[in-house]
Coordinates of all heavy atoms in Angstrom, one line a residue:
M1 N -53.3 26.7 28.9 CA -53.3 28.2 28.7 C -53.6 28.6 27.3 O -53.3 27.9 26.3 CB -51.9 28.7 29.1 CG -51.7 29.0 30.6 SD -52.7 30.3 31.2 CE -53.1 29.5 32.8
I2 N -54.1 29.8 27.2 CA -54.3 30.4 25.8 C -53.7 31.7 25.8 O -53.4 32.3 26.8 CB -55.9 30.4 25.4 CG1 -56.6 31.2 26.5 CG2 -56.4 29.0 25.3 CD1 -58.1 31.4 26.2
T3 N -53.6 32.2 24.6 CA -52.9 33.5 24.4 C -53.9 34.7 24.1 O -55.1 34.3 23.8 CB -51.9 33.5 23.2 OG1 -52.7 33.4 22.0 CG2 -50.9 32.4 23.3
G4 N -53.5 35.9 24.4 CA -54.4 37.0 24.0 C -54.8 37.0 22.5 O -55.9 37.3 22.2
A5 N -53.9 36.6 21.7 CA -54.1 36.6 20.2 C -55.2 35.5 19.9 O -56.0 35.7 19.1 CB -52.8 36.3 19.5
Q6 N -55.2 34.4 20.7 CA -56.2 33.4 20.4 C -57.6 33.9 20.9 O -58.6 33.6 20.2 CB -55.8 32.1 21.2 CG -54.8 31.3 20.5 CD -54.4 30.1 21.4 OE1 -53.9 30.2 22.5 NE2 -54.5 28.9 20.8
I7 N -57.6 34.6 22.0 CA -58.9 35.1 22.5 C -59.4 36.1 21.4 O -60.6 36.1 21.1 CB -58.7 35.8 23.9 CG1 -58.3 34.8 24.9 CG2 -60.0 36.6 24.3 CD1 -57.8 35.4 26.2
R8 N -58.5 37.0 21.0 CA -59.0 38.1 20.1 C -59.4 37.4 18.8 O -60.5 37.7 18.2 CB -57.7 38.9 19.8 CG -58.0 40.1 18.9 CD -56.7 41.0 18.9 NE -55.5 40.4 18.4 CZ -54.4 40.1 19.1 NH1 -54.3 40.5 20.4 NH2 -53.4 39.5 18.6
S9 N -58.7 36.4 18.3 CA -59.1 35.7 17.0 C -60.4 34.9 17.2 O -61.2 35.0 16.3 CB -57.9 34.7 16.7 OG -56.8 35.4 16.3
A10 N -60.6 34.3 18.3 CA -61.8 33.5 18.5 C -63.0 34.4 18.6 O -64.0 34.1 18.0 CB -61.6 32.7 19.8
R11 N -62.8 35.5 19.2 CA -64.0 36.5 19.3 C -64.3 37.0 18.0 O -65.5 37.1 17.6 CB -63.6 37.6 20.3 CG -64.8 38.4 20.7 CD -64.5 39.4 21.8 NE -63.4 40.4 21.4 CZ -63.6 41.4 20.5 NH1 -64.7 41.5 19.9 NH2 -62.5 42.1 20.3
H12 N -63.3 37.3 17.2 CA -63.5 37.9 15.8 C -64.2 36.8 14.9 O -65.1 37.1 14.1 CB -62.3 38.4 15.3 CG -62.0 39.8 15.8 ND1 -62.6 40.9 15.5 CD2 -60.9 40.1 16.7 CE1 -62.0 41.9 16.2 NE2 -61.0 41.5 16.9
A13 N -63.7 35.6 15.1 CA -64.2 34.5 14.2 C -65.7 34.2 14.5 O -66.5 33.9 13.7 CB -63.4 33.2 14.5
L14 N -66.1 34.3 15.8 CA -67.5 34.2 16.2 C -68.3 35.4 15.9 O -69.6 35.3 16.1 CB -67.5 33.8 17.7 CG -66.9 32.4 18.1 CD1 -66.9 32.3 19.6 CD2 -67.8 31.3 17.4
K15 N -67.7 36.5 15.6 CA -68.4 37.8 15.4 C -69.2 38.2 16.6 O -70.4 38.6 16.5 CB -69.3 37.7 14.2 CG -68.5 37.4 12.8 CD -69.4 37.4 11.7 CE -68.6 37.2 10.4 NZ -68.6 36.0 9.8
I16 N -68.5 38.2 17.7 CA -69.2 38.6 19.0 C -68.3 39.8 19.5 O -67.2 39.9 19.3 CB -69.3 37.5 20.0 CG1 -67.9 37.0 20.4 CG2 -70.2 36.4 19.6 CD1 -67.9 36.0 21.6
S17 N -69.0 40.6 20.3 CA -68.4 41.8 20.9 C -67.7 41.4 22.2 O -68.0 40.4 22.8 CB -69.5 42.9 21.1 OG -70.4 42.5 22.1
V18 N -66.9 42.4 22.6 CA -66.3 42.2 23.9 C -67.4 42.1 25.0 O -67.3 41.3 25.9 CB -65.3 43.3 24.3 CG1 -64.8 43.2 25.7 CG2 -64.2 43.3 23.2
E19 N -68.4 42.9 24.8 CA -69.5 42.9 25.8 C -70.2 41.6 25.8 O -70.6 41.1 26.9 CB -70.5 44.1 25.5 CG -70.0 45.5 25.7 CD -69.0 46.0 24.6 OE1 -68.8 45.3 23.5 OE2 -68.4 47.0 24.8
Q20 N -70.4 40.9 24.7 CA -71.1 39.6 24.6 C -70.2 38.6 25.3 O -70.7 37.7 26.1 CB -71.4 39.3 23.2 CG -72.5 40.0 22.6 CD -72.6 39.7 21.1 OE1 -71.7 40.0 20.4 NE2 -73.7 39.2 20.7
L21 N -68.9 38.6 25.1 CA -68.0 37.7 25.7 C -67.9 37.9 27.2 O -67.9 37.0 28.0 CB -66.6 37.8 25.1 CG -65.6 36.8 25.7 CD1 -66.0 35.4 25.7 CD2 -64.2 37.0 25.0
S22 N -68.0 39.2 27.7 CA -68.0 39.5 29.0 C -69.2 38.9 29.8 O -69.1 38.3 30.8 CB -68.0 41.0 29.2 OG -68.1 41.4 30.6
I23 N -70.4 39.0 29.2 CA -71.6 38.5 29.7 C -71.5 36.9 29.8 O -71.8 36.3 30.8 CB -72.8 38.9 29.0 CG1 -73.1 40.4 29.1 CG2 -74.1 38.1 29.3 CD1 -74.1 40.9 28.1
S24 N -71.0 36.3 28.8 CA -70.9 34.9 28.7 C -69.9 34.3 29.7 O -70.1 33.2 30.2 CB -70.6 34.4 27.3 OG -70.5 33.1 27.2
S25 N -68.8 35.1 29.9 CA -67.7 34.5 30.7 C -67.7 35.1 32.1 O -67.0 34.5 33.0 CB -66.4 34.9 30.1 OG -66.1 36.3 30.1
S26 N -68.5 36.1 32.4 CA -68.5 36.8 33.7 C -67.2 37.4 34.0 O -66.8 37.6 35.2 CB -68.9 35.8 34.8 OG -70.2 35.4 34.6
V27 N -66.5 37.8 33.0 CA -65.2 38.5 33.1 C -65.4 39.9 32.6 O -66.1 40.1 31.6 CB -64.0 37.9 32.3 CG1 -62.7 38.7 32.4 CG2 -63.8 36.4 32.8
S28 N -64.9 40.9 33.3 CA -65.2 42.3 32.9 C -64.7 42.7 31.5 O -63.7 42.1 31.0 CB -64.6 43.3 33.9 OG -63.2 43.4 33.8
V29 N -65.4 43.7 30.9 CA -65.0 44.2 29.6 C -63.6 44.7 29.6 O -62.8 44.4 28.7 CB -66.0 45.2 29.1 CG1 -65.5 46.0 27.9 CG2 -67.3 44.6 28.8
R30 N -63.2 45.4 30.6 CA -61.9 46.0 30.8 C -60.8 44.9 30.8 O -59.8 45.0 30.2 CB -61.9 46.8 32.0 CG -60.6 47.5 32.2 CD -60.7 48.4 33.5 NE -59.3 49.0 33.7 CZ -59.1 49.8 34.7 NH1 -60.0 50.2 35.5 NH2 -57.9 50.3 34.8
T31 N -61.1 43.8 31.6 CA -60.2 42.7 31.6 C -59.9 42.1 30.3 O -58.8 41.7 29.9 CB -60.6 41.7 32.7 OG1 -60.6 42.4 34.0 CG2 -59.6 40.5 32.8
I32 N -61.0 41.8 29.6 CA -61.0 41.1 28.3 C -60.2 42.0 27.3 O -59.3 41.5 26.6 CB -62.4 40.8 27.7 CG1 -63.1 39.8 28.6 CG2 -62.3 40.3 26.3 CD1 -64.5 39.5 28.4
K33 N -60.5 43.3 27.3 CA -59.7 44.2 26.4 C -58.3 44.2 26.7 O -57.5 44.2 25.8 CB -60.3 45.6 26.5 CG -61.7 45.8 25.8 CD -62.1 47.3 25.9 CE -63.5 47.4 25.2 NZ -63.9 48.8 25.3
R34 N -57.9 44.2 28.0 CA -56.5 44.2 28.4 C -55.8 42.9 27.9 O -54.8 42.8 27.4 CB -56.4 44.3 29.9 CG -54.9 44.4 30.4 CD -54.8 44.6 31.9 NE -55.7 43.7 32.6 CZ -55.5 42.4 32.9 NH1 -54.5 41.8 32.4 NH2 -56.4 41.8 33.6
M35 N -56.5 41.7 28.1 CA -56.0 40.4 27.8 C -55.8 40.3 26.2 O -54.8 39.8 25.8 CB -56.9 39.3 28.2 CG -57.0 39.2 29.7 SD -58.4 38.1 30.3 CE -57.6 36.6 29.8
E36 N -56.7 40.9 25.4 CA -56.6 40.8 24.0 C -55.5 41.7 23.4 O -55.1 41.5 22.3 CB -57.9 41.3 23.4 CG -58.9 40.3 23.5 CD -60.2 40.5 22.7 OE1 -60.3 41.7 22.1 OE2 -61.1 39.8 22.6
T37 N -54.9 42.6 24.2 CA -53.8 43.4 23.7 C -52.5 42.6 23.7 O -51.5 43.0 23.0 CB -53.5 44.7 24.5 OG1 -53.1 44.3 25.8 CG2 -54.8 45.6 24.5
E38 N -52.4 41.5 24.4 CA -51.2 40.7 24.5 C -51.3 39.6 23.5 O -52.3 38.9 23.3 CB -51.0 40.1 25.9 CG -51.0 41.2 27.0 CD -50.8 40.7 28.4 OE1 -50.0 39.7 28.5 OE2 -51.4 41.2 29.3
D39 N -50.1 39.3 22.8 CA -50.1 38.2 21.9 C -49.7 36.9 22.5 O -50.1 35.8 22.1 CB -49.1 38.5 20.8 CG -49.6 39.5 19.8 OD1 -50.8 39.6 19.6 OD2 -48.7 40.2 19.1
S40 N -49.1 37.0 23.7 CA -48.7 35.8 24.5 C -49.8 35.5 25.6 O -50.9 36.1 25.5 CB -47.4 36.0 25.1 OG -47.4 37.1 26.0
V41 N -49.4 34.6 26.6 CA -50.4 34.4 27.6 C -50.6 35.7 28.4 O -49.7 36.3 28.8 CB -49.8 33.3 28.5 CG1 -50.8 33.0 29.8 CG2 -49.6 32.0 27.8
P42 N -51.9 36.0 28.5 CA -52.2 37.3 29.2 C -51.8 37.3 30.7 O -51.9 36.2 31.3 CB -53.7 37.5 29.1 CG -54.2 36.4 28.1 CD -53.1 35.4 28.1
N43 N -51.4 38.4 31.2 CA -51.1 38.6 32.6 C -52.4 38.7 33.3 O -52.9 39.9 33.5 CB -50.1 39.8 32.9 CG -49.8 39.9 34.3 OD1 -49.9 39.0 35.1 ND2 -49.3 41.1 34.6
S44 N -53.1 37.7 33.6 CA -54.4 37.6 34.3 C -54.5 36.5 35.2 O -53.7 35.6 35.2 CB -55.5 37.7 33.2 OG -56.8 37.9 33.7
T45 N -55.6 36.5 35.9 CA -55.8 35.3 36.8 C -56.2 34.1 36.0 O -56.9 34.1 35.0 CB -56.9 35.6 37.9 OG1 -58.1 35.7 37.2 CG2 -56.6 36.9 38.6
V46 N -55.8 32.9 36.6 CA -56.1 31.6 36.0 C -57.7 31.5 35.9 O -58.2 31.1 34.8 CB -55.5 30.4 36.7 CG1 -56.0 29.2 36.3 CG2 -53.9 30.6 36.6
P47 N -58.4 31.8 36.9 CA -59.9 31.7 36.8 C -60.5 32.6 35.6 O -61.4 32.1 34.9 CB -60.4 32.1 38.2 CG -59.4 31.8 39.1 CD -58.1 32.2 38.3
N48 N -60.0 33.8 35.5 CA -60.5 34.6 34.3 C -60.1 34.0 33.0 O -61.0 34.0 32.1 CB -59.9 36.0 34.4 CG -60.6 36.9 35.3 OD1 -61.7 36.5 35.9 ND2 -60.0 38.1 35.7
I49 N -58.9 33.6 32.8 CA -58.5 32.9 31.5 C -59.4 31.7 31.3 O -59.9 31.4 30.2 CB -57.0 32.5 31.5 CG1 -56.2 33.8 31.5 CG2 -56.6 31.7 30.3 CD1 -54.8 33.6 31.7
A50 N -59.6 30.9 32.4 CA -60.4 29.6 32.3 C -61.8 30.0 31.9 O -62.5 29.3 31.1 CB -60.3 28.8 33.5
A51 N -62.4 31.0 32.5 CA -63.8 31.4 32.1 C -64.0 31.8 30.7 O -64.9 31.5 30.1 CB -64.2 32.5 33.1
I52 N -63.0 32.6 30.2 CA -63.0 33.1 28.8 C -62.9 31.9 27.9 O -63.6 31.7 26.9 CB -62.0 34.1 28.6 CG1 -62.3 35.4 29.3 CG2 -61.8 34.3 27.0 CD1 -61.3 36.5 29.3
R53 N -61.9 31.0 28.2 CA -61.7 29.8 27.4 C -63.0 28.9 27.3 O -63.5 28.5 26.3 CB -60.6 29.0 27.9 CG -60.3 27.7 27.1 CD -59.2 26.9 27.7 NE -58.9 25.9 26.7 CZ -57.7 25.5 26.3 NH1 -56.6 26.1 26.9 NH2 -57.5 24.5 25.5
A54 N -63.6 28.7 28.5 CA -64.8 27.9 28.5 C -65.9 28.5 27.8 O -66.7 27.8 27.1 CB -65.3 27.7 30.0
A55 N -66.1 29.9 27.8 CA -67.1 30.6 27.1 C -66.9 30.4 25.6 O -67.9 30.1 24.8 CB -67.2 32.0 27.5
L56 N -65.7 30.6 25.2 CA -65.4 30.5 23.7 C -65.5 29.1 23.3 O -66.0 28.8 22.1 CB -64.0 31.1 23.4 CG -63.9 32.6 23.7 CD1 -62.5 33.1 23.6 CD2 -64.8 33.3 22.6
E57 N -65.1 28.1 24.1 CA -65.2 26.7 23.7 C -66.7 26.3 23.6 O -67.1 25.5 22.6 CB -64.5 25.7 24.6 CG -63.0 25.9 24.5 CD -62.1 25.0 25.4 OE1 -62.7 24.7 26.6 OE2 -61.0 24.8 25.2
S58 N -67.5 26.8 24.5 CA -68.9 26.4 24.4 C -69.7 27.0 23.2 O -70.7 26.5 22.7 CB -69.7 26.9 25.7 OG -69.9 28.3 25.7
A59 N -69.0 28.1 22.6 CA -69.5 28.7 21.4 C -68.9 28.0 20.1 O -69.3 28.5 19.0 CB -69.2 30.2 21.4
G60 N -68.1 27.0 20.3 CA -67.5 26.3 19.2 C -66.1 26.5 18.8 O -65.7 26.0 17.7
I61 N -65.4 27.2 19.6 CA -64.0 27.4 19.4 C -63.1 26.3 19.9 O -63.3 25.8 21.1 CB -63.5 28.8 19.9 CG1 -64.2 29.9 19.2 CG2 -61.9 28.9 19.8 CD1 -63.9 30.0 17.7
E62 N -62.2 25.8 19.2 CA -61.2 24.8 19.7 C -59.8 25.4 19.6 O -59.4 26.0 18.6 CB -61.2 23.5 18.7 CG -60.2 22.5 19.1 CD -60.2 21.3 18.0 OE1 -61.0 21.3 17.1 OE2 -59.3 20.5 18.2
F63 N -59.2 25.5 20.7 CA -57.9 26.1 20.8 C -56.9 25.0 20.5 O -56.9 23.9 21.0 CB -57.7 26.6 22.2 CG -58.5 27.8 22.6 CD1 -59.7 27.7 23.3 CD2 -58.2 29.1 22.1 CE1 -60.5 28.7 23.4 CE2 -59.0 30.1 22.3 CZ -60.2 30.0 23.0
I64 N -55.9 25.3 19.6 CA -55.0 24.3 19.1 C -53.5 24.9 19.4 O -53.3 26.1 19.6 CB -55.2 24.0 17.6 CG1 -55.1 25.2 16.8 CG2 -56.5 23.2 17.5 CD1 -55.2 24.9 15.3
G65 N -52.6 24.0 19.4 CA -51.2 24.4 19.6 C -51.0 24.7 21.1 O -51.9 24.5 22.0
T66 N -49.9 25.3 21.4 CA -49.6 25.7 22.8 C -49.1 27.2 22.6 O -48.8 27.7 21.6 CB -48.4 24.9 23.4 OG1 -47.2 25.2 22.7 CG2 -48.7 23.4 23.4
P67 N -49.1 27.9 23.8 CA -48.7 29.3 23.7 C -47.2 29.4 23.1 O -47.0 30.5 22.4 CB -48.6 29.8 25.2 CG -49.7 28.9 25.8 CD -49.6 27.6 25.1
D68 N -46.5 28.5 23.2 CA -45.1 28.5 22.6 C -44.9 27.8 21.2 O -43.9 27.9 20.7 CB -44.1 27.8 23.6 CG -44.1 28.6 24.9 OD1 -44.2 29.9 24.9 OD2 -43.9 27.9 26.0
D69 N -45.9 27.1 20.8 CA -45.7 26.3 19.6 C -47.1 26.4 18.7 O -48.0 25.6 19.1 CB -45.4 24.9 19.9 CG -45.2 24.0 18.6 OD1 -44.9 24.6 17.6 OD2 -45.3 22.8 18.7
A70 N -47.1 27.3 17.8 CA -48.2 27.4 16.9 C -49.6 27.5 17.5 O -50.5 26.8 17.2 CB -48.1 26.3 15.8
P71 N -49.8 28.5 18.4 CA -51.1 28.7 19.0 C -52.1 29.2 17.9 O -51.8 30.0 17.0 CB -51.0 29.8 20.0 CG -49.8 30.6 19.5 CD -48.9 29.6 18.8
G72 N -53.3 28.6 17.9 CA -54.3 29.0 17.0 C -55.7 28.6 17.4 O -55.9 28.2 18.6
I73 N -56.6 28.7 16.5 CA -58.0 28.3 16.8 C -58.5 27.5 15.7 O -58.1 27.6 14.5 CB -58.9 29.5 17.1 CG1 -59.1 30.4 15.9 CG2 -58.5 30.2 18.3 CD1 -60.2 31.3 16.0
R74 N -59.5 26.6 16.0 CA -60.4 25.9 15.0 C -61.8 26.4 15.3 O -62.2 26.4 16.5 CB -60.1 24.4 15.1 CG -60.3 23.7 13.8 CD -60.0 22.2 14.0 NE -58.6 22.1 13.6 CZ -57.7 21.3 14.3 NH1 -58.0 20.7 15.4 NH2 -56.4 21.2 13.9
I75 N -62.6 26.6 14.3 CA -64.0 27.1 14.4 C -65.0 26.0 14.2 O -65.0 25.4 13.1 CB -64.2 28.3 13.5 CG1 -63.0 29.3 13.6 CG2 -65.5 28.9 13.8 CD1 -63.0 30.3 12.5
H76 N -65.9 25.8 15.2 CA -67.0 24.9 15.1 C -68.2 25.8 15.6 O -68.7 25.4 16.6 CB -66.9 23.7 15.9 CG -65.6 22.9 15.6 ND1 -65.4 22.1 14.5 CD2 -64.4 22.9 16.3 CE1 -64.2 21.6 14.6 NE2 -63.5 22.1 15.6
A77 N -68.5 26.8 15.0 CA -69.4 27.9 15.6 C -70.7 27.4 16.0 O -71.4 26.6 15.3 CB -69.6 29.0 14.5
R78 N -71.1 27.8 17.2 CA -72.4 27.6 17.8 C -72.8 28.9 18.4 O -71.9 29.7 18.7 CB -72.4 26.5 18.9 CG -71.9 25.2 18.4 CD -72.0 24.1 19.5 NE -71.0 24.1 20.5 CZ -69.9 23.3 20.3 NH1 -69.6 22.7 19.2 NH2 -68.9 23.3 21.3
P79 N -74.1 29.1 18.7 CA -74.5 30.4 19.3 C -73.8 30.5 20.7 O -73.7 29.5 21.5 CB -76.0 30.3 19.5 CG -76.4 29.2 18.5 CD -75.2 28.3 18.4
L80 N -73.4 31.7 21.1 CA -72.8 32.0 22.4 C -73.9 31.9 23.4 O -74.9 32.5 23.3 CB -72.1 33.3 22.4 CG -71.3 33.7 23.6 CD1 -70.1 32.7 23.6 CD2 -70.8 35.1 23.5
K81 N -73.7 31.2 24.5 CA -74.6 31.1 25.6 C -74.4 32.2 26.6 O -73.3 32.5 27.0 CB -74.4 29.8 26.4 CG -74.7 28.6 25.5 CD -74.5 27.3 26.2 CE -74.6 26.1 25.2 NZ -74.3 24.8 25.9
P82 N -75.5 32.9 27.0 CA -75.4 34.0 28.0 C -75.1 33.5 29.4 O -75.1 32.4 29.7 CB -76.7 34.7 28.0 CG -77.6 33.9 27.2 CD -76.8 32.8 26.5

């Protein structure tokens, strides 16, 4: 699991818009915006969280820690795949 704060941080680190992440992950803009408002694990479906995680990881983000113990990101930036 990843947190809304990690999603928000990863997106900002990659300098991509919510719209770009939406296209890459096939998760709606509205859902991503809602997920990013939460600092803990977002109240969303497991497939949506997994799709966002996969899209961000394919763009070079490494999620570190756990939601309960020092969640964060490490950046190995690559172009985001549509």
Side-chain angles (χ1 to χ4, degrees):
M1 278 294 140
I2 57 175
T3 67
Q6 285 174 299
I7 296 167
R8 187 173 58 243
S9 296
R11 192 173 59 74
H12 285 286
L14 294 171
K15 297 181 173 104
I16 61 172
S17 68
V18 174
E19 291 78 9
Q20 289 171 300
L21 180 55
S22 174
I23 291 166
S24 179
S25 66
S26 298
V27 176
S28 74
V29 168
R30 183 177 175 180
T31 297
I32 294 170
K33 286 182 178 183
R34 182 180 45 77
M35 291 170 75
E36 286 189 353
T37 64
E38 301 181 40
D39 287 334
S40 60
V41 176
N43 182 17
S44 191
T45 66
V46 172
N48 279 348
I49 294 172
I52 290 171
R53 180 180 189 136
L56 292 169
E57 285 177 338
S58 74
I61 295 297
E62 177 184 353
F63 293 98
I64 57 175
T66 66
D68 299 324
D69 184 24
I73 63 167
R74 209 173 268 134
I75 309 161
H76 309 277
R78 302 188 276 274
L80 189 65
K81 297 177 185 175

